[in-house]
Amino acid sequence: MYKIFIYNRPSRIVDNMINNIENSIKQNNQISNETLNKLFEDNKKPLKYTGKTLKYISIFQYNNSNKNKEELLDTYPKLKNAKYIYPDIKELNSDLSRIGYISNASSSKVLVNKNSTWLIRIAYISGEYKYIINYFIITCFVIYWLLFGIWATINVYHKVGYKFGWTVSFFVFNIFAYMLFMFKNKTKI
């Protein structure tokens, strides 16, 4: 039979995590570290398949906060002030010292429950930008290839006149064609 694969978008995975945390807080006005651990470990791999690396889950509790939901979503409180955090702050600090940042994207939700307001934040490293360096390297290589072909063609023109065959070979084989030209004309490289 045919198997149907459902593509889990990163937002759906993160939204499900936030909803699970929200439900736990609504029921108990708290969340256990075991629950955070399970959520983190269960969703680490599925999120990785979507090009994102899950870094941490942080939950902040504000008692009788005067801020509205939008203001809380715009705040970035210090992780050490989180009521619940997974993985622990020591592990996050080792990541921070190793790579210079912890995450470059996050999803947040504000939950108003009984006498307190909760800010739930799930942070991850988005893989959308990791290919920029590859594109930059490829672009530089193509520019080099073209500039070398132009330079070699001009150089040959000044030495033996314009030869269409050499021009094509410089743009196709680049430095190898130029070395062949130098060998055929007994010129020092």
Side-chain angles (χ1 to χ4, degrees), residues 67-110:
K67 295 181 180 180
N68 63 23
K69 287 184 177 185
E70 289 77 24
E71 287 176 356
L72 277 176
L73 286 173
D74 289 339
T75 62
Y76 288 92
K78 296 187 183 224
L79 289 177
K80 67 180 181 181
N81 297 333
K83 179 154 184 170
Y84 303 102
I85 188 165
Y86 187 84
D88 67 354
I89 199 76
K90 291 176 189 168
E91 188 174 329
L92 292 175
N93 280 335
S94 71
D95 274 0
L96 181 63
S97 65
R98 186 173 46 87
I99 60 175
Y101 64 95
I102 297 175
S103 70
N104 64 4
S106 67
S107 295
S108 303
K109 186 170 186 177
V110 173

Side-chain angles (χ1 to χ4, degrees), residues 121-145:
R121 178 160 288 139
I122 297 177
Y124 49 88
I125 295 178
S126 177
E128 296 167 359
Y129 305 108
K130 70 180 178 182
Y131 298 110
I132 289 176
I133 190 77
N134 294 343
Y135 293 137
F136 177 74
I137 291 170
I138 291 170
T139 302
C140 288
F141 184 75
V142 168
I143 289 170
Y144 153 77
W145 198 272

Side-chain angles (χ1 to χ4, degrees), residues 23-34:
N23 290 337
S24 179
I25 290 174
K26 281 181 180 177
Q27 290 173 359
N28 308 324
N29 207 30
Q30 66 179 6
I31 188 165
S32 68
N33 285 333
E34 293 80 26

